[in-house]
Amino acid sequence: MAKRIDVKDLDIYYGDFKAVEGVSLTVEPRSVTAFIGPSGCGKSTVLRTLNRMHEVIPGGRVEGKVTLDDQDLYASSMDPVAVRRTVGMVFQRPNPFPTMSIRDNVAAGLRLNGVKNKKKLDEVVERSLKGANLWNEVKDRLDKPGAGLSGGQQQRLCIARAIAVEPQVLLMDEPCSALDPISTLAIEDLINDLKSQYTIVIVTHNMQQAARVSDQTAFFNLKATGQPGRLVEVADTQKIFSNPTQKATEDYISGRFG
Amino acid sequence: MSAVRTLDESAPPATTGVDDFGGKSTGRALTDQLARVVMWAAFVIALIPLVWILGTTVLKGGQMLLDASWWGNSQSGITARRVGGGAVHAIQGTLIQAFVTALISVPIGVLTAVYLVEYGRGRLAKTVSFMVDILTGIPSIVAALFIYAVWVVTFGFQRIGFAVCLALTMLMIPTVVRSTEEMLKLVPNELREASYALGVPKWKTIMKIVIPTSFSGIVTGVLLGLARVMGETAPLIILGPYTKVIATNLFDGLMATLPTMIYQEYSENLQPAVDRVWGAALTLILIIFLLNILGRFVGRFSKVRN
């Protein structure tokens, strides 16, 4: 299922403004990679280029190469819609569709792409909700609105919705920043379970979280104020947090800035 | 003013430390009181004409509506001097024309709004938006004369109900565009992104996520726009002259409507006709009122659930 991501010399622009410069990194299949760094350094921007969501923003474009198991995501023949089916995404704020029930939210990806078989949809809903550790909490009220759940449940619903389309890679953009510690723990446990099947990239502001959940950590920083963001260092999480090679990384993780 | 006093009293009683905060500023309390009075006065002044119109219309026209023949007969064969007859011909005409107007304006208006919010970038979108602004400002008589110039003068067609619908469409499209635009803008971008991230194409995201989420708002906007054009009179006088008989064909002959019925009966200046003016006015108000209620009702049964 899971695929390997290779990013090479990636420059990311908003219109004429170069937001991120020269990112190269590799994400191994069935592993968790965390992006850390101060606000505005381009972590989320880089994340969004991995499923071509960056170009949804007017003026957004990239230069460089992103490959998924040797498939060039930015090849001219590549359909961004197909890319997004392969690389799923969970957002910072839980965003269940307000017009849909819990069941329909989970099934949305399949239904909107034309799957009508009710039996298959029900199977997928159950499997995805179980996969997102939410099944036991909602199995008796699948027809209730998804927006009626608590914040943590909504976020797990969004994860269920993302894994229902069976992506190869799961991107998470600060998935716990709007959640309380208990819900955060639930999501972190879930990330641990999910990594046996998916390649996961997670953006987080919480360094303890990065240390807890990830195998590999990438530290991003701005070159200087007004300059594009760049990847300072990427290595095993253990190494980044115990023995980083760059001074900036050490300063950041030890809390000396940012 | 008694409401004001209870509000003040409901404030938590000051126990200790009042002096530390310097007590309550009398100047500010006075300003607050003044602002309250001005606000209530403005509200009441704004309400006076509304209540007045509604009261007068109900008092003078209510009697007509209680008569079964009002809802069952036309004015066929009834002269201004005679009491009786009904408004069925005019009610039907107004409803038919409103329906056809909506049928033309809603798709155009909603699609224009979708273009402006979801796709529109650069010069074309700016031009479209500017044109909609201009259309919004067009007086109804100008829209009517424009259609007259095209329909009657240029093409040489007859003055028929459908020409009225065209003029009303010109007046309704901008209100539909503007209200739909506002509703679509209210849909959080995160929902669109969530849908894209599931590999759902943009057009499907708009059809299945954006429009359903804002559906009740769009319907309310459409109904309010419809209520507004139903009361338009200038296009009717110029393009759709009154007739006393029931006529339901938009493409042939004259067609009665409530505004033209009011205009016609008013020009007679005889008591039975004047009574019918009030009756028709109240009927029109009632229909528009029902449309508004319907709008609220749809809003309550929105698919957005919490």
Side-chain angles (χ1 to χ4, degrees), chain B residues 53-114:
Chain B
I53 290 176
L54 217 57
T56 316
T57 319
V58 170
L59 281 178
K60 297 199 174 178
Q63 201 58 40
M64 302 295 293
L65 269 64
L66 292 177
D67 194 338
S69 72
W70 181 260
W71 305 100
N73 294 347
S74 69
Q75 288 291 314
S76 179
I78 300 203
T79 59
R81 223 169 280 281
R82 270 182 57 196
V83 178
V88 151
H89 58 312
I91 296 171
Q92 274 185 358
T94 290
L95 290 179
I96 290 171
Q97 288 182 359
F99 179 74
V100 172
T101 302
L103 218 59
I104 305 171
S105 345
V106 171
I108 297 177
V110 170
L111 288 177
T112 306
V114 166

Short mmCIF file of all heavy atoms in Angstrom, two decimals, chain B residues 53-114:
data_model
loop_
_atom_site.label_atom_id
_atom_site.label_comp_id
_atom_site.label_asym_id
_atom_site.label_seq_id
_atom_site.Cartn_x
_atom_site.Cartn_y
_atom_site.Cartn_z
N ILE B 53 -49.37 51.14 6.77
CA ILE B 53 -49.76 50.58 5.47
C ILE B 53 -50.50 49.26 5.66
O ILE B 53 -51.58 49.03 5.11
CB ILE B 53 -48.52 50.34 4.58
CG1 ILE B 53 -47.92 51.67 4.14
CG2 ILE B 53 -48.86 49.49 3.37
CD1 ILE B 53 -46.65 51.53 3.35
N LEU B 54 -49.90 48.42 6.49
CA LEU B 54 -50.48 47.09 6.70
C LEU B 54 -51.88 47.22 7.30
O LEU B 54 -52.83 46.59 6.83
CB LEU B 54 -49.57 46.30 7.64
CG LEU B 54 -49.42 44.82 7.34
CD1 LEU B 54 -48.92 44.61 5.93
CD2 LEU B 54 -48.47 44.17 8.34
N GLY B 55 -52.00 48.10 8.31
CA GLY B 55 -53.29 48.29 8.99
C GLY B 55 -54.34 48.80 8.03
O GLY B 55 -55.44 48.24 7.92
N THR B 56 -54.01 49.86 7.28
CA THR B 56 -54.98 50.44 6.35
C THR B 56 -55.41 49.42 5.31
O THR B 56 -56.61 49.29 5.00
CB THR B 56 -54.34 51.65 5.62
OG1 THR B 56 -53.64 52.43 6.58
CG2 THR B 56 -55.39 52.48 4.94
N THR B 57 -54.43 48.68 4.78
CA THR B 57 -54.75 47.71 3.73
C THR B 57 -55.67 46.62 4.26
O THR B 57 -56.64 46.24 3.60
CB THR B 57 -53.47 47.08 3.16
OG1 THR B 57 -52.49 48.09 3.01
CG2 THR B 57 -53.73 46.43 1.83
N VAL B 58 -55.38 46.15 5.46
CA VAL B 58 -56.22 45.09 6.03
C VAL B 58 -57.62 45.63 6.30
O VAL B 58 -58.63 45.00 5.96
CB VAL B 58 -55.59 44.53 7.32
CG1 VAL B 58 -56.58 43.63 8.04
CG2 VAL B 58 -54.31 43.78 7.01
N LEU B 59 -57.69 46.85 6.86
CA LEU B 59 -59.00 47.42 7.18
C LEU B 59 -59.84 47.64 5.93
O LEU B 59 -61.03 47.33 5.89
CB LEU B 59 -58.82 48.76 7.91
CG LEU B 59 -58.45 48.66 9.39
CD1 LEU B 59 -58.24 50.04 9.98
CD2 LEU B 59 -59.53 47.90 10.15
N LYS B 60 -59.23 48.17 4.88
CA LYS B 60 -60.01 48.54 3.70
C LYS B 60 -60.15 47.39 2.71
O LYS B 60 -61.10 47.38 1.92
CB LYS B 60 -59.34 49.73 3.01
CG LYS B 60 -59.31 50.96 3.89
CD LYS B 60 -59.10 52.20 3.06
CE LYS B 60 -59.23 53.43 3.94
NZ LYS B 60 -58.99 54.67 3.20
N GLY B 61 -59.22 46.45 2.73
CA GLY B 61 -59.28 45.39 1.73
C GLY B 61 -59.65 44.04 2.30
O GLY B 61 -59.96 43.10 1.57
N GLY B 62 -59.63 43.93 3.62
CA GLY B 62 -59.88 42.64 4.26
C GLY B 62 -61.23 42.06 3.90
O GLY B 62 -61.37 40.86 3.64
N GLN B 63 -62.24 42.95 3.84
CA GLN B 63 -63.59 42.52 3.53
C GLN B 63 -63.66 41.79 2.19
O GLN B 63 -64.32 40.77 2.06
CB GLN B 63 -64.52 43.75 3.53
CG GLN B 63 -65.98 43.44 3.72
CD GLN B 63 -66.24 42.69 5.04
OE1 GLN B 63 -65.64 43.00 6.07
NE2 GLN B 63 -67.11 41.69 5.00
N MET B 64 -62.94 42.31 1.21
CA MET B 64 -62.97 41.73 -0.13
C MET B 64 -62.45 40.28 -0.10
O MET B 64 -62.98 39.39 -0.76
CB MET B 64 -62.07 42.52 -1.08
CG MET B 64 -62.43 43.99 -1.21
SD MET B 64 -64.04 44.24 -1.97
CE MET B 64 -63.74 43.64 -3.61
N LEU B 65 -61.39 40.06 0.68
CA LEU B 65 -60.74 38.75 0.67
C LEU B 65 -61.58 37.69 1.36
O LEU B 65 -61.37 36.49 1.17
CB LEU B 65 -59.36 38.84 1.35
CG LEU B 65 -58.19 39.15 0.41
CD1 LEU B 65 -58.33 40.52 -0.22
CD2 LEU B 65 -56.89 39.05 1.16
N LEU B 66 -62.54 38.16 2.21
CA LEU B 66 -63.37 37.19 2.93
C LEU B 66 -64.45 36.62 2.03
O LEU B 66 -65.07 35.61 2.35
CB LEU B 66 -64.00 37.86 4.16
CG LEU B 66 -63.00 38.24 5.25
CD1 LEU B 66 -63.71 38.95 6.38
CD2 LEU B 66 -62.26 37.02 5.75
N ASP B 67 -64.70 37.28 0.92
CA ASP B 67 -65.73 36.85 -0.02
C ASP B 67 -65.17 35.72 -0.90
O ASP B 67 -64.11 35.87 -1.50
CB ASP B 67 -66.12 38.06 -0.90
CG ASP B 67 -67.40 37.79 -1.66
OD1 ASP B 67 -67.73 36.59 -1.84
OD2 ASP B 67 -68.06 38.76 -2.06
N ALA B 68 -65.89 34.62 -0.95
CA ALA B 68 -65.39 33.46 -1.70
C ALA B 68 -65.20 33.79 -3.18
O ALA B 68 -64.30 33.25 -3.83
CB ALA B 68 -66.34 32.28 -1.56
N SER B 69 -66.03 34.70 -3.70
CA SER B 69 -65.93 34.99 -5.13
C SER B 69 -64.61 35.68 -5.47
O SER B 69 -64.16 35.66 -6.60
CB SER B 69 -67.11 35.86 -5.58
OG SER B 69 -66.95 37.17 -5.09
N TRP B 70 -64.00 36.32 -4.46
CA TRP B 70 -62.70 36.97 -4.70
C TRP B 70 -61.66 35.95 -5.18
O TRP B 70 -60.84 36.23 -6.04
CB TRP B 70 -62.22 37.64 -3.41
CG TRP B 70 -60.91 38.36 -3.54
CD1 TRP B 70 -59.70 37.92 -3.16
CD2 TRP B 70 -60.70 39.65 -4.12
NE1 TRP B 70 -58.73 38.84 -3.45
CE2 TRP B 70 -59.32 39.92 -4.05
CE3 TRP B 70 -61.56 40.62 -4.70
CZ2 TRP B 70 -58.77 41.10 -4.51
CZ3 TRP B 70 -61.00 41.78 -5.17
CH2 TRP B 70 -59.63 42.02 -5.08
N TRP B 71 -61.73 34.77 -4.59
CA TRP B 71 -60.75 33.73 -4.91
C TRP B 71 -61.25 32.81 -6.03
O TRP B 71 -60.53 31.90 -6.45
CB TRP B 71 -60.44 32.88 -3.67
CG TRP B 71 -59.98 33.71 -2.52
CD1 TRP B 71 -60.73 34.12 -1.45
CD2 TRP B 71 -58.69 34.26 -2.32
NE1 TRP B 71 -59.98 34.89 -0.60
CE2 TRP B 71 -58.72 34.98 -1.11
CE3 TRP B 71 -57.50 34.21 -3.05
CZ2 TRP B 71 -57.61 35.65 -0.62
CZ3 TRP B 71 -56.40 34.87 -2.55
CH2 TRP B 71 -56.44 35.59 -1.34
N GLY B 72 -62.50 33.04 -6.49
CA GLY B 72 -63.03 32.10 -7.47
C GLY B 72 -63.37 32.73 -8.81
O GLY B 72 -63.45 32.05 -9.83
N ASN B 73 -63.56 34.05 -8.87
CA ASN B 73 -64.01 34.69 -10.10
C ASN B 73 -62.99 35.68 -10.64
O ASN B 73 -62.09 36.12 -9.93
CB ASN B 73 -65.30 35.46 -9.85
CG ASN B 73 -66.45 34.52 -9.51
OD1 ASN B 73 -66.34 33.31 -9.69
ND2 ASN B 73 -67.53 35.08 -9.00
N SER B 74 -63.19 36.04 -11.91
CA SER B 74 -62.41 37.12 -12.48
C SER B 74 -63.27 38.38 -12.50
O SER B 74 -64.37 38.41 -11.94
CB SER B 74 -61.98 36.75 -13.90
OG SER B 74 -63.12 36.73 -14.73
N GLN B 75 -62.79 39.40 -13.16
CA GLN B 75 -63.57 40.63 -13.28
C GLN B 75 -64.36 40.66 -14.58
O GLN B 75 -64.89 41.69 -14.98
CB GLN B 75 -62.63 41.84 -13.23
CG GLN B 75 -62.06 42.11 -11.85
CD GLN B 75 -63.12 42.58 -10.88
OE1 GLN B 75 -63.93 43.44 -11.21
NE2 GLN B 75 -63.15 41.98 -9.71
N SER B 76 -64.45 39.51 -15.23
CA SER B 76 -65.10 39.41 -16.52
C SER B 76 -66.55 39.91 -16.43
O SER B 76 -67.33 39.42 -15.62
CB SER B 76 -65.07 37.96 -16.99
OG SER B 76 -65.72 37.85 -18.23
N GLY B 77 -66.88 40.90 -17.25
CA GLY B 77 -68.23 41.40 -17.32
C GLY B 77 -68.63 42.31 -16.18
O GLY B 77 -69.80 42.67 -16.05
N ILE B 78 -67.71 42.68 -15.35
CA ILE B 78 -68.05 43.54 -14.22
C ILE B 78 -67.52 44.94 -14.46
O ILE B 78 -66.32 45.13 -14.67
CB ILE B 78 -67.46 42.97 -12.91
CG1 ILE B 78 -68.05 41.58 -12.70
CG2 ILE B 78 -67.71 43.92 -11.75
CD1 ILE B 78 -68.04 41.07 -11.34
N THR B 79 -68.42 45.91 -14.45
CA THR B 79 -67.97 47.28 -14.69
C THR B 79 -67.54 47.90 -13.37
O THR B 79 -67.79 47.35 -12.30
CB THR B 79 -69.12 48.14 -15.26
OG1 THR B 79 -70.20 48.10 -14.32
CG2 THR B 79 -69.58 47.59 -16.59
N ALA B 80 -66.87 49.04 -13.47
CA ALA B 80 -66.34 49.70 -12.29
C ALA B 80 -67.45 50.08 -11.32
O ALA B 80 -67.25 50.18 -10.12
CB ALA B 80 -65.55 50.93 -12.70
N ARG B 81 -68.65 50.31 -11.87
CA ARG B 81 -69.77 50.74 -11.06
C ARG B 81 -70.32 49.61 -10.18
O ARG B 81 -70.92 49.85 -9.16
CB ARG B 81 -70.89 51.22 -12.01
CG ARG B 81 -71.59 52.47 -11.59
CD ARG B 81 -72.47 52.96 -12.73
NE ARG B 81 -71.68 53.69 -13.74
CZ ARG B 81 -71.28 54.95 -13.58
NH1 ARG B 81 -71.55 55.59 -12.47
NH2 ARG B 81 -70.60 55.54 -14.53
N ARG B 82 -70.10 48.36 -10.66
CA ARG B 82 -70.72 47.22 -9.98
C ARG B 82 -69.80 46.60 -8.93
O ARG B 82 -68.60 46.49 -9.11
CB ARG B 82 -71.07 46.13 -11.01
CG ARG B 82 -72.46 46.30 -11.58
CD ARG B 82 -72.76 45.18 -12.56
NE ARG B 82 -72.62 43.85 -11.93
CZ ARG B 82 -72.54 42.72 -12.62
NH1 ARG B 82 -72.52 42.76 -13.93
NH2 ARG B 82 -72.44 41.56 -11.99
N VAL B 83 -70.43 46.16 -7.85
CA VAL B 83 -69.71 45.43 -6.82
C VAL B 83 -69.55 43.98 -7.28
O VAL B 83 -70.37 43.50 -8.07
CB VAL B 83 -70.49 45.49 -5.49
CG1 VAL B 83 -69.78 44.68 -4.41
CG2 VAL B 83 -70.68 46.92 -5.06
N GLY B 84 -68.53 43.29 -6.79
CA GLY B 84 -68.42 41.86 -7.06
C GLY B 84 -67.26 41.50 -7.95
O GLY B 84 -66.40 42.31 -8.26
N GLY B 85 -67.27 40.24 -8.33
CA GLY B 85 -66.16 39.73 -9.12
C GLY B 85 -64.99 39.37 -8.23
O GLY B 85 -65.02 39.60 -7.02
N GLY B 86 -63.98 38.79 -8.85
CA GLY B 86 -62.84 38.36 -8.05
C GLY B 86 -61.52 38.77 -8.64
O GLY B 86 -61.47 39.61 -9.55
N ALA B 87 -60.45 38.19 -8.10
CA ALA B 87 -59.10 38.57 -8.54
C ALA B 87 -58.33 37.38 -9.07
O ALA B 87 -57.12 37.44 -9.25
CB ALA B 87 -58.34 39.20 -7.39
N VAL B 88 -59.07 36.30 -9.33
CA VAL B 88 -58.39 35.07 -9.75
C VAL B 88 -57.52 35.28 -10.99
O VAL B 88 -56.40 34.79 -11.07
CB VAL B 88 -59.44 33.96 -9.98
CG1 VAL B 88 -58.96 32.98 -11.02
CG2 VAL B 88 -59.72 33.26 -8.68
N HIS B 89 -58.06 36.05 -11.95
CA HIS B 89 -57.30 36.28 -13.18
C HIS B 89 -55.97 36.96 -12.88
O HIS B 89 -54.93 36.60 -13.43
CB HIS B 89 -58.13 37.13 -14.14
CG HIS B 89 -58.53 38.45 -13.59
ND1 HIS B 89 -59.10 38.61 -12.33
CD2 HIS B 89 -58.44 39.71 -14.11
CE1 HIS B 89 -59.33 39.89 -12.12
NE2 HIS B 89 -58.94 40.58 -13.18
N ALA B 90 -56.00 37.94 -11.96
CA ALA B 90 -54.78 38.69 -11.64
C ALA B 90 -53.81 37.84 -10.81
O ALA B 90 -52.60 37.88 -11.03
CB ALA B 90 -55.13 39.96 -10.88
N ILE B 91 -54.37 37.08 -9.85
CA ILE B 91 -53.50 36.22 -9.02
C ILE B 91 -52.79 35.22 -9.91
O ILE B 91 -51.57 35.03 -9.82
CB ILE B 91 -54.34 35.50 -7.94
CG1 ILE B 91 -54.94 36.53 -6.97
CG2 ILE B 91 -53.49 34.50 -7.18
CD1 ILE B 91 -55.94 35.94 -5.99
N GLN B 92 -53.55 34.59 -10.79
CA GLN B 92 -52.95 33.60 -11.69
C GLN B 92 -51.86 34.22 -12.54
O GLN B 92 -50.76 33.68 -12.67
CB GLN B 92 -54.02 33.02 -12.62
CG GLN B 92 -54.75 31.85 -12.00
CD GLN B 92 -55.73 31.24 -13.00
OE1 GLN B 92 -55.87 31.72 -14.12
NE2 GLN B 92 -56.39 30.18 -12.58
N GLY B 93 -52.17 35.40 -13.10
CA GLY B 93 -51.18 36.05 -13.96
C GLY B 93 -49.91 36.36 -13.20
O GLY B 93 -48.79 36.08 -13.69
N THR B 94 -50.07 36.91 -12.00
CA THR B 94 -48.88 37.26 -11.20
C THR B 94 -48.06 36.02 -10.90
O THR B 94 -46.83 36.02 -11.04
CB THR B 94 -49.32 37.95 -9.90
OG1 THR B 94 -49.84 39.24 -10.22
CG2 THR B 94 -48.15 38.12 -8.95
N LEU B 95 -48.73 34.93 -10.49
CA LEU B 95 -48.00 33.72 -10.14
C LEU B 95 -47.30 33.10 -11.36
O LEU B 95 -46.15 32.68 -11.29
CB LEU B 95 -48.94 32.71 -9.49
CG LEU B 95 -49.44 33.08 -8.08
CD1 LEU B 95 -50.38 32.02 -7.53
CD2 LEU B 95 -48.27 33.29 -7.13
N ILE B 96 -48.03 33.07 -12.48
CA ILE B 96 -47.43 32.47 -13.68
C ILE B 96 -46.20 33.27 -14.12
O ILE B 96 -45.13 32.71 -14.38
CB ILE B 96 -48.46 32.43 -14.83
CG1 ILE B 96 -49.55 31.40 -14.52
CG2 ILE B 96 -47.78 32.10 -16.16
CD1 ILE B 96 -50.71 31.44 -15.49
N GLN B 97 -46.37 34.59 -14.15
CA GLN B 97 -45.23 35.42 -14.60
C GLN B 97 -44.06 35.31 -13.63
O GLN B 97 -42.90 35.25 -14.05
CB GLN B 97 -45.67 36.87 -14.75
CG GLN B 97 -46.57 37.05 -15.96
CD GLN B 97 -46.99 38.49 -16.19
OE1 GLN B 97 -46.61 39.37 -15.43
NE2 GLN B 97 -47.76 38.72 -17.22
N ALA B 98 -44.38 35.25 -12.33
CA ALA B 98 -43.29 35.13 -11.34
C ALA B 98 -42.57 33.80 -11.53
O ALA B 98 -41.34 33.73 -11.48
CB ALA B 98 -43.86 35.24 -9.93
N PHE B 99 -43.34 32.74 -11.76
CA PHE B 99 -42.75 31.42 -11.92
C PHE B 99 -41.82 31.38 -13.12
O PHE B 99 -40.67 30.90 -13.03
CB PHE B 99 -43.88 30.38 -12.06
CG PHE B 99 -43.38 28.98 -12.25
CD1 PHE B 99 -42.83 28.29 -11.18
CD2 PHE B 99 -43.45 28.36 -13.48
CE1 PHE B 99 -42.35 27.00 -11.34
CE2 PHE B 99 -42.98 27.07 -13.65
CZ PHE B 99 -42.43 26.39 -12.59
N VAL B 100 -42.31 31.89 -14.25
CA VAL B 100 -41.48 31.85 -15.46
C VAL B 100 -40.25 32.75 -15.30
O VAL B 100 -39.15 32.40 -15.71
CB VAL B 100 -42.32 32.25 -16.70
CG1 VAL B 100 -41.43 32.40 -17.92
CG2 VAL B 100 -43.38 31.19 -16.95
N THR B 101 -40.45 33.90 -14.65
CA THR B 101 -39.31 34.78 -14.39
C THR B 101 -38.25 34.05 -13.57
O THR B 101 -37.06 34.10 -13.88
CB THR B 101 -39.78 36.04 -13.63
OG1 THR B 101 -40.77 36.69 -14.39
CG2 THR B 101 -38.62 36.98 -13.39
N ALA B 102 -38.71 33.35 -12.52
CA ALA B 102 -37.77 32.62 -11.67
C ALA B 102 -37.09 31.52 -12.48
O ALA B 102 -35.89 31.29 -12.34
CB ALA B 102 -38.51 32.02 -10.48
N LEU B 103 -37.87 30.86 -13.34
CA LEU B 103 -37.32 29.77 -14.15
C LEU B 103 -36.16 30.25 -15.02
O LEU B 103 -35.20 29.52 -15.24
CB LEU B 103 -38.45 29.22 -15.04
CG LEU B 103 -38.49 27.72 -15.27
CD1 LEU B 103 -38.62 26.99 -13.95
CD2 LEU B 103 -39.64 27.35 -16.19
N ILE B 104 -36.28 31.48 -15.52
CA ILE B 104 -35.19 32.01 -16.34
C ILE B 104 -34.07 32.57 -15.47
O ILE B 104 -32.89 32.32 -15.72
CB ILE B 104 -35.71 33.13 -17.29
CG1 ILE B 104 -36.88 32.60 -18.13
CG2 ILE B 104 -34.59 33.62 -18.20
CD1 ILE B 104 -37.58 33.69 -18.91
N SER B 105 -34.43 33.33 -14.43
CA SER B 105 -33.37 34.06 -13.70
C SER B 105 -32.57 33.20 -12.75
O SER B 105 -31.40 33.47 -12.53
CB SER B 105 -33.96 35.22 -12.89
OG SER B 105 -35.23 35.53 -13.27
N VAL B 106 -33.20 32.19 -12.14
CA VAL B 106 -32.48 31.43 -11.12
C VAL B 106 -31.27 30.69 -11.70
O VAL B 106 -30.17 30.84 -11.18
CB VAL B 106 -33.43 30.49 -10.36
CG1 VAL B 106 -32.64 29.55 -9.46
CG2 VAL B 106 -34.40 31.30 -9.53
N PRO B 107 -31.44 29.91 -12.78
CA PRO B 107 -30.23 29.24 -13.32
C PRO B 107 -29.15 30.25 -13.73
O PRO B 107 -27.99 30.09 -13.37
CB PRO B 107 -30.75 28.49 -14.54
CG PRO B 107 -32.21 28.40 -14.37
CD PRO B 107 -32.64 29.56 -13.55
N ILE B 108 -29.56 31.31 -14.44
CA ILE B 108 -28.56 32.29 -14.88
C ILE B 108 -27.90 32.94 -13.68
O ILE B 108 -26.67 33.04 -13.58
CB ILE B 108 -29.21 33.36 -15.78
CG1 ILE B 108 -29.76 32.71 -17.05
CG2 ILE B 108 -28.20 34.45 -16.14
CD1 ILE B 108 -30.49 33.68 -17.96
N GLY B 109 -28.71 33.35 -12.70
CA GLY B 109 -28.18 34.05 -11.54
C GLY B 109 -27.27 33.17 -10.69
O GLY B 109 -26.17 33.58 -10.32
N VAL B 110 -27.73 31.94 -10.42
CA VAL B 110 -26.93 31.05 -9.57
C VAL B 110 -25.63 30.68 -10.27
O VAL B 110 -24.56 30.70 -9.66
CB VAL B 110 -27.74 29.78 -9.20
CG1 VAL B 110 -26.85 28.75 -8.53
CG2 VAL B 110 -28.89 30.15 -8.27
N LEU B 111 -25.70 30.38 -11.58
CA LEU B 111 -24.49 30.00 -12.29
C LEU B 111 -23.50 31.17 -12.36
O LEU B 111 -22.30 30.98 -12.25
CB LEU B 111 -24.83 29.49 -13.69
CG LEU B 111 -25.49 28.11 -13.70
CD1 LEU B 111 -25.87 27.70 -15.11
CD2 LEU B 111 -24.54 27.06 -13.12
N THR B 112 -24.05 32.38 -12.54
CA THR B 112 -23.16 33.55 -12.55
C THR B 112 -22.45 33.68 -11.20
O THR B 112 -21.24 33.93 -11.14
CB THR B 112 -23.95 34.84 -12.84
OG1 THR B 112 -24.68 34.65 -14.04
CG2 THR B 112 -23.04 36.03 -12.97
N ALA B 113 -23.21 33.49 -10.13
CA ALA B 113 -22.61 33.60 -8.79
C ALA B 113 -21.56 32.52 -8.59
O ALA B 113 -20.48 32.78 -8.05
CB ALA B 113 -23.70 33.48 -7.73
N VAL B 114 -21.86 31.29 -9.05
CA VAL B 114 -20.87 30.21 -8.93
C VAL B 114 -19.61 30.59 -9.69
O VAL B 114 -18.49 30.43 -9.20
CB VAL B 114 -21.44 28.88 -9.48
CG1 VAL B 114 -20.33 27.86 -9.68
CG2 VAL B 114 -22.48 28.33 -8.52
#
